Amino acid sequence: RHPVPKSFTTRLRSIGEELAAPESTAELSDMALNSASAPVLQLLLLAAKANKKLSLAVSRALLRWGEGEKAPDKAWVLKLAADESGSHMLEAVLEALPPADLQPVLECFRGSLLQMSRQKTANHVVQRLMDKAVEAPHVKLLLQELGGDHLAELLQWNRAGVIKSLADACARAEVGQGELVRGLAGAMGLSAPAAHPRLIPSLLLLRTLPEGFADTGAPKPISPFA
């Protein structure tokens, strides 16, 4: 392992500040949608992780979230999410943003989360968004748009990853867990979930069940070496 020279840190800050400048908005947007330059921008965010001020400035610039504005450009954020290269870029931005910025970004997706979950690329953005959700109001919004009857649609579209991320968010915020389990029981056509109360939780935790669903013993984790 070699020490990082001071010149690298200085040059990284210079590049980041130049990209985050308002006059670079058009060029930065083009780069975010380009299959060659978008991965470079992702590496830039990763390299700038230790410099929170720089990381925030570049992340907000990529969202077209100007200084003094309360939220990102919604139309642009949705375009990023639907683009193959832009969606990966947006995932990296979500990882770099501080928790305080989650609410304005989440508002950009309000009313679009289910449709985005159906899309091949955007569903991964939804998962990253849910991975960042830790507060009850955020998770309640996610449940409102993706829970209930919509769980059957997610299963039909083979979006188990979206459901798993939603379950993880409910567990972190300690809200909506019962609602999610009931919704999944309905989506899977379980007419009497009380007869096998641990089936859905075990599915969410990727654990095996004893031979009887109503068995009271603790489910055993699946061994990756089995």
Side-chain angles (χ1 to χ4, degrees):
R1 180 179 297 181
H2 301 283
V4 177
K6 292 182 179 180
S7 59
F8 173 81
T9 303
T10 303
R11 184 55 181 156
L12 178 67
R13 183 173 63 252
S14 175
I15 293 173
E17 290 173 349
E18 182 177 345
L19 289 173
E23 56 268 23
S24 300
T25 298
E27 183 179 3
L28 187 63
S29 297
D30 289 340
M31 293 174 66
L33 297 176
N34 186 283
S35 60
S37 57
V40 178
L41 290 176
Q42 294 174 48
L43 287 174
L44 173 66
L45 282 178
L46 184 62
K49 188 175 181 179
N51 188 331
K52 295 183 179 180
K53 183 178 179 180
L54 179 63
S55 177
L56 178 61
V58 175
S59 296
R60 286 194 168 195
L62 284 163
L63 296 174
R64 293 186 180 176
W65 189 344
E67 186 175 353
E69 296 178 351
K70 294 182 178 180
D73 183 328
K74 179 176 180 178
W76 169 247
V77 171
L78 293 178
K79 182 177 180 179
L80 273 177
D83 183 83
E84 186 171 355
S85 297
S87 64
H88 293 301
M89 186 74 259
L90 189 51
E91 286 184 62
V93 170
L94 289 173
E95 288 293 331
L97 283 176
D101 282 353
L102 181 62
Q103 180 65 37
V105 175
L106 185 58
E107 287 296 328
C108 292
F109 297 115
R110 185 188 287 270
S112 304
L113 286 168
L114 183 63
Q115 187 56 39
M116 287 176 58
S117 296
R118 185 173 188 172
Q119 297 173 11
K120 180 180 178 181
T121 55
N123 87 86
H124 295 289
V125 174
V126 175
Q127 291 181 54
R128 294 295 80 73
L129 189 66
M130 290 192 286
D131 289 344
K132 297 282 288 187
V134 295
E135 297 183 12
H138 300 160
V139 178
K140 287 180 179 178
L141 172 59
L142 295 168
L143 269 173
Q144 180 182 340
E145 296 209 10
L146 299 173
D149 295 338
H150 298 312
L151 291 168
E153 296 177 82
L154 292 172
L155 287 173
Q156 183 180 0
W157 300 335
N158 195 28
R159 294 293 179 256
V162 173
I163 296 175
K164 181 64 166 62
S165 291
L166 181 58
D168 289 341
C170 289
R172 283 194 303 273
E174 297 184 347
V175 64
Q177 293 151 296
E179 178 184 345
L180 179 64
V181 169
R182 288 190 295 272
L184 272 175
M188 298 179 68
L190 302 176
S191 59
H196 32 77
R198 295 199 336 278
L199 174 58
I200 299 299
S202 294
L203 286 173
L204 291 173
L205 293 172
L206 298 180
R207 291 180 174 178
T208 58
L209 277 168
E211 291 186 4
F213 286 154
D215 187 276
T216 57
K220 300 176 182 179
I222 296 176
S223 170
F225 306 106

